[in-house]
Structure formats: C-alpha cells, structure tokens
C-alpha cells in the first residue's frame, strides 16, 4: 500500500500521503470508541470501504479477520495514547494492506479475445439470417468492437466476483 503512494508523492502529487494516512485515520478512528474488538472492527470495515471509494479504480485487499483480531489484541489494545495508535495503525496498513490483484488471467483473455471475436461475429452475422435481422452490420466497428470488449470484461468481472463470493461463504 505504501509503495504506490510514495511513488505518486515523488511524481509531485501533493497531499496524497496525508490524505491516505492522517486524515483518513482521524476520520475513522480518532473520535470513535474502539475499546472492544467489535467496535474496532466496525471502524476498520468503515475505513476500508471509504478508502476503496476515495481512490477510484484501485481496490485493496485487507487481511483476514483473525489477523486483524490478533493485531488488535497484541498492538492496538495495549496502547494508550492516540498518537501511538495512529502511528501503529499507519504502519500496520502499509505492511498488511495490499492492492487487489487479478488472481487469474480471465481479464487478460477477455480483453485480448473480445475484439477479434467481435469482428468475426459481425462478419459472420452478415450471412446468417437469424443474426442479420438485428442489423449489426450497420454499427461501425469503432463502436461495436469497444462495446463488445467492454461487455466481455464486465462478464469476466461478474464471473470473478461470483467466484470470490462462493469462496468466502462459510461452510456449515
């Protein structure tokens, strides 16, 4: 998490480091009661949700619940001062929170295959009577190909999200 922000700061993006650390911490933890793990975890989830919406296009993977619970018990709970908590929390976030990565090559395959498939589908659609009635041949390629690619990537996203939600369901 710390690497992309430090790289952006070096490129001259002003204040991004402050927004991602101090201001966000103050907004979600400073004035909240976090004496129990449940209260801390609610503030943490709120923080992660806010963090992912503030930086559009980037999503961050957070540690598992047990890792957060252990860090809370070992580090957060014993600290008394707000300044120490803030410093330790920022260090923890930089160490444990990572940018979400694509775990499979579904996006890459969809992005590479969709333009060619769109052109092939459009050309073959001109000779198939059932497809010809949709008049796909009237849509210019500069519109049709990106639209098909976008639909393919959205489909790949839906498949990956469905897969993740199935993986995260607790087994009974």
């Amino acid at each position: 998490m710390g690497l992309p922000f430090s790289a952006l700061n070096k490129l001259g993006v002003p204040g991004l480091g402050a927004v991602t650390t101090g201001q966000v911490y103050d907004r979600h933890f400073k004035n909240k009661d976090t004496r129990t793990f449940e209260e801390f975890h609610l503030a943490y989830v709120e923080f992660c949700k806010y963090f992912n919406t503030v930086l559009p296009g980037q999503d961050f993977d957070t540690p598992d619940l047990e890792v957060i619970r252990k860090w809370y018990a070992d580090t957060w709970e014993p600290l008394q001062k707000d300044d120490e908590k803030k410093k330790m929390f920022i260090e923890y976030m930089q160490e444990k929170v990572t940018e979400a990565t694509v775990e499979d090559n579904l996006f890459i395959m969809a992005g590479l295959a969709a333009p060619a498939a769109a052109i092939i589908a459009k050309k073959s659609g001109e000779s198939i009577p059932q497809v010809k009635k949709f008049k796909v041949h009237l849509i210019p390629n500069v519109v049709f190909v990106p639209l098909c690619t976008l639909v393919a990537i959205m489909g790949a996203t839906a498949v990956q999200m469905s897969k993740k939600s199935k993986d995260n369901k607790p087994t009974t």
Side-chain angles (χ1 to χ4, degrees):
M1 185 176 99
L3 178 63
F5 301 128
S6 61
L8 287 173
N9 284 338
K10 286 180 184 175
L11 293 174
V13 177
L16 189 58
V19 169
T20 58
T21 55
Q23 292 176 355
V24 177
Y25 173 85
D26 292 344
R27 178 181 182 148
H28 293 281
F29 290 95
K30 187 175 185 177
N31 298 324
K32 293 204 178 169
D33 186 20
T34 55
R35 281 182 261 161
T36 65
F37 177 74
E38 288 74 21
E39 293 167 342
F40 174 81
H41 191 251
L42 284 174
Y44 186 84
V45 169
E46 208 176 275
F47 162 78
C48 290
K49 181 180 173 191
Y50 176 76
F51 202 70
N52 281 333
T53 57
V54 166
L55 298 169
Q58 289 183 327
D59 286 322
F60 296 92
D61 290 329
T62 58
D64 293 331
L65 181 63
E66 290 306 314
V67 173
I68 298 169
R69 188 182 309 267
K70 183 177 178 347
W71 182 83
Y72 175 83
D74 295 346
T75 308
W76 183 269
E77 211 170 26
L79 296 174
Q80 299 299 322
K81 293 182 180 178
D82 254 0
D83 293 341
E84 292 174 351
K85 285 185 175 185
K86 182 176 182 176
K87 181 179 177 251
M88 293 307 291
F89 182 76
I90 291 169
E91 287 176 12
Y92 175 76
M93 294 302 291
Q94 289 175 339
E95 181 181 317
K96 296 289 185 184
V97 176
T98 57
E99 282 188 57
T101 56
V102 179
E103 295 172 3
D104 54 19
N105 294 326
L106 191 58
F107 291 112
I108 296 169
M109 291 187 306
L112 291 175
I119 295 296
I120 292 169
K122 188 173 177 185
K123 292 289 182 190
S124 64
E126 293 173 0
S127 60
I128 300 172
Q130 292 84 356
V131 179
K132 199 172 192 176
K133 68 180 176 183
F134 291 111
K135 304 207 185 284
V136 177
H137 65 281
L138 296 176
I139 302 171
N141 284 347
V142 291
V143 174
F144 187 72
V145 173
L147 183 66
C148 289
T149 305
L150 181 64
V151 169
I153 291 173
M154 288 171 57
T157 303
V159 167
Q160 185 176 14
M161 289 173 67
S162 172
K163 184 177 160 185
K164 275 188 176 182
S165 68
K166 286 179 184 175
D167 290 345
N168 289 335
K169 282 187 181 175
T171 55
T172 53

